[in-house]
Amino acid sequence: MAQIFPKSANALAQASIIVAGALAATAGGALYWLQRSPYVTRQHETREQPVPFSHQHHVGGIGVDCRYCHTAVEKSAKAGIPPTKTCMNCHAQIWNDSPTLEPVRQSFRDGKSIAWTKVNDLPDFAYFNHSAHVNKGMGCSTCHGRIDLQPLAWQEHSLQMEWCLECHRNPEKFVRPQDQVFNVAWQAPANQIEVGKELVKKYGLKPRTSCSTCHR
Amino acid sequence: MSARRRNLLAGLVAVVALGAGCRQDMHDQPRLKAQARSEFWRDDRAGRPLVEGTIPRGHLREDEFLYTGRQYGQFVNAFPFVIDQKRMERGRDRYNIYCAPCHGATGAGNGMVVQRGYRAAGNFHQDRLRNERLGYFYDVIANGFGAMPDYAAQIGVEDRWAIVAYIRALQLSQHARLEDVPAARRAEAEKALSGAAPAAAGAAH
């Protein structure tokens, strides 16, 4: 009886096993990479806003403290988006005929909220508390980046769970002196780990990594 | 494709689609979140305004001194609580956050916002304000004055008093004489004054 397959079919069969393995690994790698890519996480992506509010101008240029607007950050889970009244504290007189700021004046006149777009949008199943962090030596810029250099705010980090855990497992890498928390230009010193370990002890940091810490 | 296979495939697609749907629901749950949009109410806000006149239990503002800076209709010239180092530091922090943008770090009324075109802010070192009663400053923070808006929503009652204490400290710092420095540290002050280091800037942070 004649052979159905030629001899080269052996090589082909062996090669196909290898190719299939390689394809599966590549697909896995691509998924791994895609899941962490800015395409999925929206990291470093600025968000369109109804008014092009510039943190670069207000924080970097004028030197306004974060807490002037985000008044609740030290005592509440949410830092708080300021009411339009806070904008009008200055803009009743400054740039008060700018067409760009018309939505702000409109909101102030009719009492309707400005519909800002949330930039750092954690999934609803993750609990986060600003006050717990800023009162324990975690600086604004650790998560939000150099906000004083962002014309339109972007999301600085991936906000993925591994990103949260990176700090919860190694707080000494990121903790800073309490009086530097709102200094957005703060840079970690060369001996950060050393200083960080001291601060972790001083502030009694015990960041937990159990599921229910954040998924409550 | 057999009917059975087709059903299996359809089932698989449905499971994947449902899974993706669940994921979105978990990410964006329909509950109301702070400061979020809600189509349920006419003003699109999830947060509901309090009914006018609502007073939380234990928050009736009966203490006229503490909440208005007045007693019997007159501005007080005292504090409703002891001003210690901690309060003073709190006042300095809050002053630098909320007041310094206009009044400047030393209280001369030339802050960044004024430099950018806002009407000149009050200079705390003029005689009228140096001699003003403490309750007056509290009142201006709470209710505004002239071009200055009120800061009632941004600064809590106790913080307002802490800021008043710090303003008084700034006023003292800009009008201090050498005799005001404790004898033990006078040499230090003299050295600073004779040197290039501006003593006033140091005293006012």
Side-chain angles (χ1 to χ4, degrees):
Chain A
M1 196 173 103
Q3 295 285 345
I4 298 174
F5 295 107
K7 218 167 186 175
S8 63
N10 283 340
L12 214 62
Q14 282 164 354
S16 70
I17 293 172
I18 294 166
V19 168
L23 274 177
T26 311
L31 280 177
Y32 180 94
W33 172 83
L34 182 72
Q35 176 64 13
R36 288 163 176 74
S37 73
Y39 178 75
V40 169
T41 64
R42 305 188 71 192
Q43 186 177 2
H44 291 139
E45 192 183 302
T46 55
R47 309 289 200 267
E48 285 297 314
Q49 301 289 356
V51 183
F53 177 85
S54 168
H55 278 88
Q56 181 181 43
H57 167 70
H58 290 86
V59 181
I62 305 287
V64 177
D65 190 283
C66 308
R67 293 163 288 182
Y68 185 92
C69 302
H70 304 292
T71 53
V73 72
E74 289 171 299
K75 44 190 188 231
S76 148
K78 302 271 179 184
I81 299 298
T84 306
K85 153 81 167 54
T86 303
C87 308
M88 294 302 282
N89 279 357
C90 295
H91 289 293
Q93 287 196 22
I94 296 178
W95 290 87
N96 58 358
D97 50 5
S98 153
T100 316
L101 295 186
E102 180 51 28
V104 177
R105 294 189 293 269
Q106 175 79 31
S107 160
F108 193 61
R109 279 197 299 270
D110 63 19
K112 288 205 77 165
S113 302
I114 302 172
W116 300 103
T117 306
K118 201 164 169 55
V119 176
N120 292 279
D121 194 8
L122 280 183
D124 288 352
F125 50 76
Y127 174 80
F128 177 81
N129 188 316
H130 274 90
S131 69
H133 289 82
V134 300
N135 290 321
K136 290 278 186 180
M138 294 315 302
C140 306
S141 62
T142 300
C143 299
H144 295 288
R146 289 294 301 271
I147 195 76
D148 58 326
L149 303 178
Q150 300 176 18
L152 272 181
W154 60 72
Q155 175 189 320
E156 176 75 9
H157 293 284
S158 73
L159 306 188
Q160 286 180 325
M161 191 168 117
E162 61 183 10
W163 170 73
C164 302
L165 284 173
E166 164 72 0
C167 188
H168 270 238
R169 286 179 178 141
N170 315 292
E172 69 280 359
K173 281 195 198 166
F174 304 96
V175 67
R176 62 176 84 173
Q178 190 55 43
D179 61 358
Q180 294 298 314
V181 164
F182 295 94
N183 174 7
V184 289
W186 181 82
Q187 299 281 336
N191 59 344
Q192 168 63 26
I193 300 295
E194 208 176 299
V195 180
K197 279 188 172 149
E198 282 298 308
L199 290 175
V200 165
K201 215 181 294 169
K202 188 174 161 196
Y203 299 152
L205 299 190
K206 296 184 205 76
R208 299 187 307 149
T209 50
S210 62
C211 309
S212 62
T213 305
C214 309
H215 306 297
R216 43 174 77 184
Chain B
M1 202 185 273
S2 74
R4 208 181 134 177
R5 265 226 194 132
R6 205 166 37 234
N7 287 346
L8 199 70
L9 194 70
L12 206 67
V13 167
V15 165
V16 168
L18 276 176
C22 283
R23 179 189 145 85
Q24 218 39 57
D25 276 356
M26 292 288 279
H27 272 243
D28 297 311
Q29 295 162 12
R31 64 187 157 88
L32 302 183
K33 283 149 277 184
Q35 296 194 307
R37 168 186 283 274
S38 164
E39 250 97 77
F40 190 82
W41 282 282
R42 199 173 291 167
D43 64 1
D44 291 343
R45 290 174 185 158
R48 306 314 305 150
L50 294 177
V51 175
E52 212 170 317
T54 306
I55 297 167
R57 193 170 280 269
H59 285 75
L60 184 58
R61 300 194 154 190
E62 280 177 308
D63 189 339
E64 190 193 8
F65 189 137
L66 177 66
Y67 290 108
T68 69
R70 293 169 202 257
Q71 236 172 358
Y72 312 114
Q74 296 288 313
F75 285 128
V76 296
N77 200 23
F79 290 99
F81 39 71
V82 176
I83 301 296
D84 53 14
Q85 180 79 16
K86 216 173 140 204
R87 290 262 193 210
M88 190 59 95
E89 281 168 7
R90 177 81 183 171
R92 182 192 64 201
D93 287 352
R94 299 299 118 173
Y95 177 90
N96 286 330
I97 296 168
Y98 299 107
C99 314
C102 288
H103 288 280
T106 61
N110 58 350
M112 217 28 193
V113 175
V114 171
Q115 290 172 39
R116 296 295 174 98
Y118 207 89
R119 205 184 307 168
N123 176 355
F124 295 132
H125 311 303
Q126 57 180 302
D127 285 342
R128 177 177 78 83
L129 291 180
R130 282 203 314 124
N131 298 320
E132 191 50 90
R133 290 150 297 175
L134 297 167
Y136 171 83
F137 295 98
Y138 176 90
D139 180 68
V140 171
I141 297 173
N143 300 312
F145 177 82
M148 174 178 156
D150 73 85
Y151 276 77
Q154 281 159 283
I155 311 174
V157 169
E158 296 199 358
D159 282 345
R160 292 175 210 165
W161 283 108
I163 289 174
V164 172
Y166 185 66
I167 289 173
R168 188 102 304 169
L170 279 178
Q171 290 174 329
L172 290 173
S173 81
Q174 299 295 304
H175 276 80
R177 289 162 306 176
L178 201 56
E179 299 87 81
D180 298 332
V181 180
R185 303 191 62 183
R186 209 163 286 168
E188 231 176 289
E190 274 174 338
K191 199 172 153 210
L193 284 171
S194 62
H205 276 271

